[in-house]
């Protein structure tokens, strides 16, 4: 970081927004992320030893990704420079790399390149970094709110350590807000600010794990509330005006999408209709494509319910068609009905396991169709013996006759193993009767 960048940073630190002023500058004052920055953890050891390798910081907004990068800049003996993936192109990347090459060549000093929102770089931009990350010219720290395994080139991922940042706990956010009220240098310690417990609870509860959001709400309250009787009172009414209700965090193309749909499917599979409807509501509120949701219900109806309740697939398919016809908002009712039916249905994955076992057997066994099962309807088929010894089940008692329907190499493979659940219990008894 050059002298002008340092002066700019210091100016922002002193005169910027409260969230910027309250940013910690040491590892000891950093809040949260104990699982990656706590005593004895690899990232903390690497920073203290000044042996940092390239890393990807991944997690929700306001969890300290940029703050930790700044702390690294202050506590290591490397150059530090930044890029924002939203506003930077390949030309900007090349300029930073050229700077890093010169610094390494002239002063034997490596450069930490911090790239905010790295997931917004396209493949060409990410590829431009790769050789210099690989040979150690730059130490890359990429920050992203999206799952890097979906959004960052695998080649960059393989050369970086990935650290997942968790949402900050409410207790930690409350500590930071209280500190901001009393801090004489960077907070409001020089003003007589009284923050009620009810107001604090409201601000923290609605910050959704984002320290920046909580501090911004406090700042808005303090800066817009007139002093009365020698104090600035931030009570519940002020807090409610200063922080909006929770925003539904759901990016249809991002990590939250995959996590939510996973929770949705697992809730239906786990026979918890309340949880399934909750995640359905989150997806609807987040603007998810209703047909995408309906397709997931169809898959679950077959994969997880199967023949334990064959009607589940019928209900799911009909829900898909009905939502196409009706649309939203009424479509939410149709989806809810299908979700609840699938969640409450008896479960069996026997069909799912059966096709996977059969697929594996196809890879390992003969695919030759037995002679008696081959087509015997064309001219000359009888001369070849095709279909001659086939037994027609309808000619036998109870419309069943025992004969082999598989290649000779497969004897009693047991691909389909019905369970005792729901209607499939009847299927199991029927098959056991036939096999006797």
């Amino acid at each position: 970081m050059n002298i002008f960048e340092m002066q700019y940073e210091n100016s922002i630190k002193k005169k910027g927004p409260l969230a910027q002023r309250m940013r910690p500058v040491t590892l000891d004052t950093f809040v949260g992320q104990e699982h990656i920055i706590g005593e004895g953890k690899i990232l903390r050891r690497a920073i203290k030893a000044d042996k940092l390798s390239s890393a990807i910081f991944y997690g929700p907004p306001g969890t300290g990704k940029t703050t930790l990068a700044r702390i690294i800049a202050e506590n290591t003996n490397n150059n530090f420079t930044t890029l924002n993936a939203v506003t930077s192109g390949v030309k900007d990347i090349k300029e930073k790399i050229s700077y890093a090459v010169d610094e390494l060549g002239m002063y034997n000093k490596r450069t930490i390149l911090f790239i905010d929102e790295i997931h917004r770089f396209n493949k060409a931009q990410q590829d431009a970094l790769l050789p210099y990350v690989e040979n150690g010219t730059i130490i890359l720290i990429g920050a992203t709110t999206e799952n890097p395994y979906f959004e960052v080139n695998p080649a960059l991922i393989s050369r970086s350590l990935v650290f997942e940042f968790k949402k900050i706990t409410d207790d930690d956010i409350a500590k930071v807000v209280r500190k901001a009220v009393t801090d004489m240098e960077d907070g409001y310690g020089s003003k007589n600010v009284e923050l009620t417990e009810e107001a604090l609870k409201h601000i923290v509860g609605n910050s959704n794990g984002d320290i920046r959001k909580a501090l911004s709400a406090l700042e808005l309250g303090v800066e817009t509330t007139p002093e009365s009787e020698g104090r600035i009172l931030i009570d519940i009414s002020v807090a409610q005006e200063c922080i909006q209700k929770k925003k539904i965090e759901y990016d249809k193309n991002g990590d939250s999408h995959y996590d939510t749909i996973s929770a949705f499917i697992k809730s239906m599979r786990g026979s918890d209709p309340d949880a399934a409807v909750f995640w359905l509501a989150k997806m609807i509120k987040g603007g998810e494509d209703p047909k995408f949701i309906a397709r997931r219900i169809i898959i679950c109806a077959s994969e997880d319910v199967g023949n334990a309740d064959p009607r589940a697939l019928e209900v799911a398919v009909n829900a898909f068609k009905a939502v196409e016809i009706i649309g939203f908002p009424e479509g939410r009712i149709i989806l809810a009905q299908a979700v609840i039916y699938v969640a409450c249905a008896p479960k069996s994955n026997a069909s799912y396991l059966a096709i996977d076992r059969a697929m594996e057997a196809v890879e390992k066994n003969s695919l030759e169709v037995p002679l008696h099962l081959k087509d015997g309807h064309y001219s000359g088929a009888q001369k070849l013996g095709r279909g001659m010894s086939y037994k027609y089940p309808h000619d036998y008692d109870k419309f069943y006759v025992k004969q082999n329907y598989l290649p000779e190499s497969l004897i009693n493979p047991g691909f389909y193993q019905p369970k005792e659940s729901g209607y499939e219990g009847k299927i199991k008894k029927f098959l056991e009767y036939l096999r006797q």
Side-chain angles (χ1 to χ4, degrees):
M1 188 180 295
N2 60 41
I3 186 70
F4 299 107
E5 288 177 320
M6 290 179 65
Q7 288 175 345
Y8 174 75
E9 288 292 326
N10 290 334
S11 178
I12 288 293
K13 176 71 176 170
K14 292 178 181 177
K15 299 180 181 179
L18 178 64
Q20 187 73 34
R21 302 197 307 270
M22 292 301 298
R23 264 188 176 166
V25 293
T26 66
L27 288 174
D28 291 333
T29 55
F30 186 81
V31 175
Q33 314 310 330
E34 287 292 316
H35 63 293
I36 58 174
I37 206 69
E39 286 294 339
K41 299 297 183 180
I42 186 171
L43 184 55
R44 190 184 190 96
R45 299 202 312 268
I47 295 169
K48 286 194 168 183
D50 202 1
K51 296 292 183 183
L52 194 71
S53 61
S54 291
I56 304 294
F57 293 169
Y58 147 56
T63 51
K65 299 184 295 295
T66 303
T67 297
L68 186 55
R70 297 289 178 190
I71 290 173
I72 290 170
E74 295 289 335
N75 290 273
T76 60
N77 194 33
N78 300 295
N79 293 311
F80 186 85
T81 189
T82 66
L83 280 175
N84 188 302
V86 176
T87 57
S88 302
V90 172
K91 180 183 176 184
D92 302 293
I93 296 172
K94 288 181 176 178
E95 287 178 357
K96 297 293 185 181
I97 289 172
S98 177
Y99 165 76
V101 169
D102 290 344
E103 288 292 306
L104 187 61
M106 290 187 291
Y107 306 110
N108 196 31
K109 202 171 186 182
R110 291 207 294 171
T111 297
I112 295 174
L113 174 59
F114 175 71
I115 302 178
D116 199 13
E117 300 194 74
I118 192 172
H119 62 277
R120 293 184 180 270
F121 270 166
N122 59 35
K123 186 178 185 300
Q125 290 168 312
Q126 292 185 31
D127 284 346
L129 295 165
L130 187 58
Y132 304 96
V133 170
E134 194 167 33
N135 66 23
T137 301
I138 61 172
I139 301 167
L140 171 68
I141 300 179
T144 174
T145 56
E146 305 301 329
N147 191 325
Y149 293 100
F150 296 134
E151 304 295 340
V152 179
N153 286 3
L156 274 181
I157 288 286
S158 69
R159 290 158 178 81
S160 307
L161 293 173
V162 177
F163 296 99
E164 183 177 2
F165 283 57
K166 307 290 187 181
K167 281 187 178 180
I168 309 298
T169 66
D170 284 357
D171 286 344
D172 281 338
I173 295 175
K175 289 176 186 175
V176 173
V177 173
R178 287 192 183 101
K179 185 175 186 297
V181 171
T182 59
D183 191 293
M184 295 297 295
E185 185 175 350
D186 298 314
Y188 292 118
S190 60
K191 298 184 178 183
N192 186 13
V193 176
E194 182 181 336
L195 176 66
T196 69
E197 280 300 311
E198 190 180 15
L200 175 63
K201 185 176 180 180
H202 181 81
I203 289 172
V204 170
N206 286 282
S207 65
N208 206 20
D210 188 334
I211 290 178
R212 186 167 50 234
K213 187 173 182 180
L215 290 176
S216 296
L218 174 66
E219 181 178 29
L220 181 60
V222 173
E223 300 295 343
T224 60
T225 302
E227 186 175 311
S228 177
E229 298 180 355
R231 65 174 182 169
I232 297 174
L233 177 62
I234 308 298
D235 58 15
I236 184 61
S237 62
V238 175
Q240 286 172 336
E241 290 180 355
C242 293
I243 191 165
Q244 298 175 346
K245 71 175 185 177
K246 286 184 182 176
K247 169 179 169 280
I248 302 298
E249 289 189 2
Y250 190 80
D251 180 353
K252 287 185 284 183
N253 299 311
D255 196 33
S256 180
H257 162 85
Y258 295 104
D259 288 342
T260 302
I261 197 66
S262 175
F264 174 60
I265 292 168
K266 288 170 181 172
S267 299
M268 285 191 291
R269 180 184 299 143
S271 301
D272 189 330
D274 288 339
V277 169
F278 176 82
W279 298 119
L280 170 66
K282 179 182 178 182
M283 289 188 288
I284 292 171
K285 282 281 190 181
E288 182 59 83
D289 179 0
K291 289 191 286 187
F292 172 84
I293 299 173
R295 284 194 290 270
R296 299 302 102 187
I297 301 170
I298 291 171
I299 293 168
C300 188
S302 186
E303 178 179 336
D304 296 305
V305 176
N307 287 327
D309 185 351
R311 283 205 63 200
L313 183 58
E314 180 184 340
V315 169
V317 171
N318 284 337
F320 182 95
K321 294 176 181 177
V323 168
E324 276 192 313
I325 296 168
I326 301 299
F328 269 12
E330 290 84 357
R332 77 191 190 283
I333 306 167
I334 297 163
L335 290 176
Q337 179 187 350
V339 165
I340 291 169
Y341 190 97
V342 171
C344 294
K347 302 296 188 295
S348 171
N349 65 347
S351 298
Y352 165 48
L353 295 176
I355 186 58
D356 280 1
R357 291 178 185 128
M359 295 284 282
E360 185 178 349
V362 164
E363 295 288 334
K364 299 177 180 179
N365 292 275
S366 167
L367 303 181
E368 180 69 22
V369 176
L371 198 61
H372 67 285
L373 296 181
K374 289 185 177 181
D375 183 11
H377 291 89
Y378 61 91
S379 176
Q382 291 186 359
K383 292 181 180 179
L384 297 174
R386 301 195 171 193
M388 292 293 293
S389 58
Y390 171 66
K391 299 173 184 177
Y392 187 54
H394 291 284
D395 290 340
Y396 294 84
D397 184 41
K398 299 187 185 300
F399 317 108
Y400 173 77
V401 60
K402 189 171 183 178
Q403 65 182 328
N404 182 42
Y405 292 98
L406 283 165
E408 294 299 330
S409 60
L410 281 170
I411 304 298
N412 298 325
F415 298 143
Y416 179 49
Q417 298 177 15
K419 302 185 177 181
E420 298 282 358
S421 180
Y423 179 74
E424 197 164 52
K426 295 182 179 180
I427 296 175
K428 182 177 182 179
K429 289 180 181 178
F430 177 68
L431 290 177
E432 287 173 348
Y433 165 76
L434 292 180
R435 288 164 181 166
Q436 288 173 358

